[in-house]
Structure formats: C-alpha cells, structure tokens
Amino acid sequence: MATLRLGDTAPNFTADSSIGTINLYDYLGDSWGILFSHPADFTPVCTTELGTAANFKGEFDKRNVKMLALSVDGAASHKDWIKDINEVQNTTVNFPIIADEDRKVSDLYDMIHPKADSTLTVRSVFIIAPDKTIKLTLTYPASTGRNFYELLRVIDSLQLTANHKVATPANWEHGQDVVVSPAIPTAEAREMFKKGVKEVKPYLRMTPDPTA
Ligand code: BEZ
C-alpha cells in the first residue's frame, strides 16, 4: 500500500477489536473519525495514552468524532489490558481497540515503520472527515506519547476551516482570531466577515473566529 496522503480516501477494513468485529465505515457512519495506533499492549506510554483518550472522549463526542485505537495484539489481550488502563488511569476505556494481530490494518495504513521497529506499529494518527477523506496524519515514535489537547485543537481547526474561508494561525485555539484565506481579496473579506477584518499585511488579514 502506498503512503496515505491528505485528501486520499481512508481505506475501509473489517477487523476484530476489543468489542468484536468492526467495519471502519459502518463504525464511523456520518461522523468524523480519529484512528490512532499503539505499539503494543501492556506498555507504559500506551497505557497513559489510552487512559487519557478515554478521559477526553466527551470532548471528542462534542465534536462528533468517533475514536478508534489499534494495537497489534489480540482482542483477549486488549480486554485484559483495558482492565489495567481503567485501574491505573482511573477511567473507563469507552471506544474500541482494533486487534491487528495479522497487521492487516497496520499495513493498509502504513503504521509499521521498519527502521523504527520491524514488527510494532508506531504512534500514527489519522483524522478522517465524514466523506471518508483523510484530513490529517501524524506520526510519533514509540518513545513519545501524544498530546490529546493538540488533537482536539486540530479537529477544531479542521472543522472550522471546512465551513469558513479561513485558516488558523500558529498555536491557534478555538475563539482566537483566524486568518482570512489568501484567495479572498480584502474588500470581499470585509463583506464576508461581519465581525471585521484587520489587514496586517496585504497577504495577512485577521478576523475574529466566526464561530465564537
Ligand atoms: C510504551 O508504550 O511505553 C512503549 C512501547 C514501545 C516502545 C517504547 C515504549
């Protein structure tokens, strides 16, 4: 499988998981999705990540994003590991973990990077829009746990920019000023964005977050 790029259709799959057989497209329905891989069960960083992800589920729900984790161990192992995660992270893992023992999904999504590890998945993230196109990819090494605040932040940006002709600047968070799309002339932007447009440079125009 070639590397998946932004705008590509997320390949569908059917796989075993901690809650039984899952088909990606059926699971996502019309929602956004976040698919994220973990190197292996009963590993320390992954344990913190999955507990954190479970504690963030309410925030993902608010944004209409369904969560789906993956690790290359089996479903029985996942279920045992979930008990540990719930205990040590004081949570309830409330989304499925794909059991990718045959590496079918990992290969489909290029989640094994042989120069990092020949058999275990790296920490990949795919954000999938309701039309099943891939909107974001991230790859972290096994040694670095992901920042779930950043994942929520980027979802806020993706959902905002899908519906408004804006882009979000460095370190932007929901409610802060956004950048007017470069393709829109300033005069037109002033008509479009009733909260006002500040022209810092002809190519850098700011406007308040239209959704705040
Ligand atoms: C971890 O999740 O802690 C981990 C997994 C594989 C390699 C290094 C760390």
Side-chain angles (χ1 to χ4, degrees):
M1 176 77 204
T3 304
L4 292 170
R5 294 182 171 168
L6 303 189
D8 287 347
T9 299
N12 197 15
F13 57 81
T14 299
D16 196 14
S17 83
S18 55
I19 60 161
T21 303
I22 279 203
N23 173 272
L24 178 70
Y25 284 11
D26 290 344
Y27 174 69
L28 294 181
D30 294 330
S31 300
W32 288 71
I34 180 164
L35 170 64
F36 51 109
S37 60
H38 297 270
D41 292 3
F42 300 101
T43 49
V45 176
C46 299
T47 299
T48 65
E49 281 193 319
L50 282 169
T52 302
N55 286 331
F56 274 55
K57 184 165 182 295
E59 292 298 321
F60 285 99
D61 285 347
K62 273 191 216 161
R63 292 160 175 82
N64 190 29
V65 180
K66 290 209 172 148
M67 307 166 80
L68 186 55
L70 176 149
S71 151
V72 293
D73 294 304
S77 166
H78 286 357
K79 285 180 202 160
D80 281 344
W81 184 34
I82 285 170
K83 290 182 207 150
D84 277 9
I85 299 166
N86 290 346
E87 178 197 327
V88 303
Q89 296 289 302
N90 193 25
T91 191
T92 301
V93 172
N94 38 19
F95 51 83
I97 308 175
I98 295 167
D100 196 34
E101 278 184 295
D102 60 4
R103 276 58 169 171
K104 190 178 79 177
V105 179
S106 310
D107 286 343
L108 196 58
Y109 278 79
D110 197 22
M111 291 165 164
I112 295 178
H113 296 198
K115 288 181 183 163
D117 190 294
S118 58
T119 54
L120 303 181
T121 37
V122 292
R123 298 185 196 283
S124 300
V125 180
F126 293 87
I127 295 180
I128 302 168
D131 68 359
K132 308 294 182 290
T133 56
I134 295 173
K135 294 297 182 191
L136 174 119
T137 64
L138 281 171
T139 308
Y140 283 61
S143 51
T144 305
R146 283 158 286 205
N147 184 327
F148 284 79
Y149 291 107
E150 170 59 8
L151 297 180
L152 291 176
R153 190 192 77 88
V154 78
I155 287 164
D156 285 343
S157 173
L158 289 169
Q159 294 184 341
L160 174 68
T161 59
N163 294 313
H164 298 272
K165 291 188 171 163
V166 298
T168 59
N171 292 344
W172 173 86
E173 290 180 13
H174 173 71
Q176 296 176 347
D177 287 357
V178 297
V179 170
V180 174
S181 292
I184 303 171
T186 300
E188 199 181 311
R190 292 197 199 284
E191 290 296 314
M192 190 177 286
F193 299 106
K194 300 296 181 199
K195 291 179 180 173
V197 172
K198 182 179 172 200
E199 191 179 74
V200 182
K201 289 281 180 191
Y203 59 86
L204 173 57
R205 291 84 39 87
M206 305 299 293
T207 189
D209 181 340
T211 63

